[in-house]
Amino acid sequence: MPREIKRRIHPGHPLHLLAKSPYEGEYKCDRCKKTCNSFVYHCSVCEFDLDIKCAFQPGFLEVDSQAHQFAHKDHPLILNEEQEYHGAGPAGVMCSVCKEPMAGPSYSCTSCNLFLHKKCAELSPEIKQHLHPEHPLRLLPNHDMICDFCNETCYEGFVYFCFVCEYSLHIKCACPPCIDAADQNQRHQFRRLMNPLSLKSISFTCNACGTDGDDSPFGCTMCQLVVHQKCISLPRTLKTALHHHPRIIHTYHRQQCIKSIKKYCGICCREVDTEYGVYYCPDCDFVAHVKCSREYGDSATEIVVENEEEQSVAVDDQSMEPSFRVVREIKQGEERIIEEIKHFSHQHNLILTDKVDDDLKCDGCMLPISTPFYSCVSCNFFLDKTCIELPRRKKWQYHENQLILSWSRGEHHLFYCVVCDQYFSGLRYVCDICELYVDVRCFKSILKDSFKHGGHEHPLYLPADRKNILRCNIGDQGIPPLLADDREIIPHCSGCCVSEESKVFFKCAVCDLKLGMKCATLPYKARHEYDDHPLFLTYINENDYQPSCIICEKYRDPKLWFYRCEECDFDAHPECALGKYPYVKAGGVRTYPKHPHPLALVDKTGDYRPQACDSCGEPCDDLALECTDPNCSFIVHRKRRQCWMPLW
């Protein structure tokens, strides 16, 4: 035996071998607490004693943290590369670390009868383990500890141990023997965390998909990921019809990839756990559960792209064709400001303006103007910046064919939006194949996966099962199949309590709010001649003791949306505040071949004594074409084709 040794259990001083107890009578081993009178390793400074068994089993091996392997302090360890073990010692000799029979390459010290598997001798002195991610685990001599993973007694010479939590793992449990699979897309090497022959299973949450598992998990050998076996082969990228950008990307580390952390899945609208893997869009704040993304993703277009996180996913060049041409721009520092443009919808150039009149409406979407906007003062023509930025051609996630941004130069042209079931004038997106017409006001609302309406505190989403409602009706006449069949139950709109025929509606992920497109696209702010202040859309009035509409003086359901001026205690139905045709620009004047004077488009829905139509003889109490000559009383219905078509 060596005359002097150093041991981890007493790192301050070396221990010297004595033939008998240094005290009168027997000594007590400071490791096993047993008494003995024979040989002892002793520290005279500290009066620390180890019997021979405790001095060499298993503390005979020390972990060299700098060399990242075991160190045998007394003699060098000799490497034997032979696959079959032929070392000295009795047959069936065991490895001093794992207590398994010796086989394959090994290290040995024949003087001390010490043998180690090569893989055991090269175990890392410290590891980070998926089963205990809070703290690192250090390799320490074993004292018959219970493994906290398999709940069995550890008979190995060493175990991995956490000093903070007193958490211990078998070497077998901490370092399973083989790599089972690899995720080449995200450069992870996965190994089964348990021996399948042991028939054991554990409960865990998969880092790849965020759902629970109760089988044998797989862990990454390079990081702390624990995943289902099926999640190892998740596609790196997917294309989904429910998002307006071309691809979404899978990540295990959501917060590292997404700057604007979103709380809700862009497909099912349920909450997304920020600690687990998701599919995300690198161009916006869209996130989605893995299960939702696979269900609604197009498997035929699953593509792996190298360095995806560093690349911006660009939209097709055609879809980004601008709708205007820059005429003049200025620079303020590094900022580029476009002062004058030529938009395809107007014959004159439009000038950037930042002074807003409360009565102004955008000629593109017919919503109240917000700054900044572009205008042609001579023509009383205005376009909001959001309408200016709409691309001329657009690939839309809800429609197979490309949509084209269109404008009619006819002053009296009316169009019918198939999404919100309302008449409108202004900019629209059109499909040349199926003649789909979508008002840009509706298009902007469902351009993204969710939007925030001023009248509600939570984001609104188009449900995932609505993805086919705007598909192209190729080969058939008329609009796409937007109408619900007899078997489908469409929920009542929380804004107006009407179950519309249209299947397009929005849901709130947080509360039970459901809105049809008609209510979802109502402007947050409106004006009416009966009140000097702007009216705001709401569903809350704490003083609603006798709810009624100030304009029509009829009952108003306090549970439904309405417009309100808090200062004047002014409440009104949305239709009363906005009118029957809020998205049609009245007042446009043009001439027709069969009438001598110019005609103006007028709204006669509020007239108490409507004038009779000069074509059919019935009262004109709707949209009408009225002669601008004060000496001519000509008027015809605009929505009745048989009344206004003879003007041509």
Side-chain angles (χ1 to χ4, degrees):
M1 293 182 185
R3 300 291 297 271
E4 182 180 296
I5 63 172
K6 291 182 179 180
R7 290 293 179 260
R8 181 195 301 275
I9 195 171
H10 187 70
H13 308 102
L15 303 177
H16 298 276
L17 181 63
L18 301 179
K20 61 180 181 179
S21 171
Y23 316 106
E24 293 183 4
E26 297 179 333
Y27 71 89
K28 186 176 183 180
C29 175
D30 287 290
R31 182 172 183 181
C32 67
K33 307 303 181 185
K34 295 180 180 179
T35 57
C36 187
N37 196 30
S38 60
F39 285 83
V40 60
Y41 276 96
H42 174 69
C43 173
S44 59
V45 179
C46 306
E47 295 188 351
F48 181 89
D49 303 292
L50 285 180
D51 62 27
I52 301 303
K53 181 179 180 180
C54 290
F56 291 105
Q57 294 290 336
F60 185 42
L61 285 175
E62 299 291 330
V63 180
D64 188 340
S65 60
Q66 294 182 347
H68 296 285
Q69 63 181 13
F70 285 100
H72 181 44
K73 299 293 185 181
D74 304 310
H75 307 103
L77 294 174
I78 308 303
L79 176 63
N80 177 15
E81 291 285 4
E82 295 182 21
Q83 294 299 313
E84 296 296 329
Y85 183 70
H86 300 292
V93 68
M94 301 295 181
C95 172
S96 298
V97 174
C98 68
K99 303 302 181 183
E100 294 289 333
M102 292 300 300
S106 64
Y107 285 95
S108 64
C109 174
T110 54
S111 301
C112 301
N113 204 28
L114 173 73
F115 306 95
L116 298 91
H117 294 115
K118 184 174 184 290
K119 63 180 181 180
C120 291
E122 295 172 352
L123 284 172
S124 174
E126 183 175 291
I127 63 171
K128 291 184 178 180
Q129 233 290 337
H130 333 286
L131 300 173
H132 187 71
E134 295 84 2
H135 309 107
L137 302 177
R138 293 194 61 85
L139 192 61
L140 298 175
N142 177 28
H143 307 296
D144 296 336
M145 297 180 183
I146 303 296
C147 176
D148 287 289
F149 175 69
C150 64
N151 293 321
E152 294 182 357
T153 302
C154 303
Y155 295 108
E156 301 160 338
F158 286 77
V159 293
Y160 279 103
F161 186 75
C162 173
F163 287 105
V164 180
C165 307
E166 296 187 354
Y167 181 92
S168 58
L169 281 181
H170 274 127
I171 291 176
K172 294 178 183 178
C173 293
C175 307
C178 61
I179 295 176
D180 291 273
D183 174 10
Q184 300 296 343
N185 297 336
Q186 301 196 44
R187 301 176 181 86
H188 291 283
Q189 295 285 341
F190 288 103
R191 65 171 56 171
R192 192 181 295 274
L193 292 182
M194 303 178 58
N195 185 350
L197 299 179
S198 68
L199 301 178
K200 290 182 179 293
S201 63
I202 61 170
S203 297
F204 66 99
T205 302
C206 176
N207 288 108
C209 67
T211 60
D212 293 334
D214 56 0
D215 53 2
S216 181
F218 283 69
C220 177
T221 59
M222 296 174 286
C223 56
Q224 300 184 37
L225 298 178
V226 180
V227 301
H228 298 111
Q229 183 174 5
K230 64 181 180 180
C231 290
I232 294 174
S233 57
L234 281 175
R236 175 74 167 125
T237 64
L238 282 175
K239 183 175 182 180
T240 175
L242 297 178
H243 185 59
H244 58 284
H245 290 127
R247 293 185 184 95
I248 53 177
I249 304 172
H250 181 260
T251 179
Y252 296 101
H253 308 287
R254 175 187 173 202
Q255 296 189 11
Q256 295 178 12
C257 299
I258 307 168
K259 295 180 181 178
S260 175
I261 296 299
K262 212 172 176 186
K263 294 288 186 182
Y264 302 100
C265 172
I267 296 177
C268 72
C269 308
R270 295 184 177 91
E271 191 169 2
V272 174
D273 194 322
T274 60
E275 299 298 325
Y276 299 101
V278 293
Y279 277 93
Y280 76 99
C281 177
D283 284 356
C284 64
D285 62 356
F286 174 88
V287 291
H289 295 119
V290 170
K291 182 179 179 181
C292 297
S293 302
R294 294 304 307 275
E295 182 177 355
Y296 291 99
D298 187 355
S299 59
T301 59
E302 294 177 2
I303 304 170
V304 176
V305 181
E306 292 295 328
N307 300 323
E308 194 74 51
E309 292 179 9
E310 287 79 18
Q311 296 179 2
S312 175
V313 180
V315 183
D316 185 89
D317 289 339
Q318 281 187 315
S319 68
M320 295 305 294
E321 178 186 343
S323 58
F324 65 91
R325 176 175 54 85
V326 177
V327 177
R328 186 176 74 254
E329 65 179 4
I330 61 172
K331 287 187 176 180
Q332 291 185 353
E334 296 183 357
E335 187 178 4
R336 172 174 165 261
I337 299 175
I338 301 174
E339 276 197 328
E340 186 175 350
I341 63 170
K342 177 68 177 71
H343 196 266
F344 82 96
S345 65
H346 194 66
Q347 65 270 30
H348 305 131
N349 291 349
L350 305 179
I351 308 298
L352 180 65
T353 309
D354 57 3
K355 295 181 180 180
V356 178
D357 187 327
D358 286 337
D359 295 326
L360 292 183
K361 282 188 176 183
C362 171
D363 284 272
C365 60
M366 301 307 299
L367 295 176
I369 280 284
S370 60
T371 56
F373 67 98
Y374 290 84
S375 66
C376 175
V377 180
S378 59
C379 300
N380 231 15
F381 183 86
F382 310 98
L383 281 181
D384 197 293
K385 193 171 184 290
T386 58
C387 287
I388 290 289
E389 293 172 347
L390 289 172
R392 189 68 193 273
R393 299 175 185 275
K394 180 66 180 176
K395 291 278 191 179
W396 201 27
Q397 68 263 40
Y398 303 111
H399 201 69
E400 298 92 327
N401 295 302
Q402 193 176 69
L403 301 182
I404 301 172
L405 187 64
S406 303
W407 172 269
S408 176
R409 299 193 181 277
E411 295 286 348
H412 298 161
H413 283 186
L414 295 180
F415 302 95
Y416 195 77
C417 177
V418 298
V419 177
C420 67
D421 294 328
Q422 295 184 94
Y423 282 97
F424 71 95
S425 57
L427 291 170
R428 64 196 179 280
Y429 274 102
V430 181
C431 174
D432 288 340
I433 305 299
C434 65
E435 297 184 356
L436 172 83
Y437 283 74
V438 180
D439 185 352
V440 294
R441 173 181 48 85
C442 293
F443 183 84
K444 287 190 289 185
S445 296
I446 50 180
L447 177 61
K448 295 185 177 182
D449 310 291
S450 67
F451 79 100
K452 185 71 172 64
H453 194 289
H456 189 65
E457 63 268 34
H458 307 132
L460 303 176
Y461 298 81
L462 187 68
D465 56 3
R466 308 286 93 190
K467 75 171 190 173
N468 291 323
I469 57 180
L470 295 169
R471 64 184 184 273
C472 198
N473 201 26
I474 301 174
D476 296 329
Q477 297 295 324
I479 64 174
L482 288 168
L483 300 182
D485 55 37
D486 295 336
R487 296 169 296 175
E488 186 170 7
I489 300 175
I490 302 300
H492 285 78
C493 173
S494 302
C496 61
C497 203
V498 174
S499 181
E500 300 181 3
E501 291 183 344
S502 173
K503 295 195 290 185
V504 186
F505 63 90
F506 282 92
K507 294 175 68 176
C508 175
V510 181
C511 58
D512 196 36
L513 183 82
K514 300 178 182 66
L515 288 180
M517 279 300 297
K518 185 175 182 180
C519 289
T521 56
L522 285 172
Y524 177 54
K525 184 172 71 172
R527 297 195 71 89
H528 193 274
E529 59 183 350
Y530 285 9
D531 196 287
D532 295 332
H533 310 106
L535 309 177
F536 294 95
L537 188 65
T538 184
Y539 54 93
I540 299 172
N541 182 0
E542 297 178 353
N543 301 319
D544 246 351
Y545 303 114
Q546 293 181 336
S548 62
C549 174
I550 300 295
I551 299 173
C552 68
E553 299 181 353
K554 294 180 180 178
Y555 173 75
R556 178 183 56 78
D557 191 333
K559 298 179 181 178
L560 305 182
W561 280 22
F562 60 95
Y563 281 95
R564 174 169 175 78
C565 171
E566 195 69 37
E567 188 173 344
C568 303
D569 196 22
F570 181 101
D571 298 337
H573 295 119
E575 187 169 313
C576 294
L578 300 175
K580 187 178 180 180
Y581 301 101
Y583 312 116
V584 174
K585 187 175 183 178
V589 178
R590 67 170 299 169
T591 59
Y592 290 85
K594 297 298 183 179
H595 189 76
H597 312 125
L599 301 180
L601 179 66
V602 293
D603 185 356
K604 295 291 185 179
T605 53
D607 286 9
Y608 290 103
R609 294 182 179 181
Q611 186 179 340
C613 174
D614 281 86
S615 177
C616 66
E618 296 184 12
C620 281
D621 54 0
D622 209 282
L623 291 175
L625 299 179
E626 186 177 43
C627 184
T628 57
D629 191 324
N631 299 319
C632 179
S633 60
F634 180 84
I635 189 170
V636 291
H637 289 104
R638 170 59 187 86
K639 287 172 57 179
R640 298 184 183 182
R641 186 179 179 85
Q642 68 273 21
C643 293
W644 64 268
M645 275 302 291
L647 292 171
W648 292 100

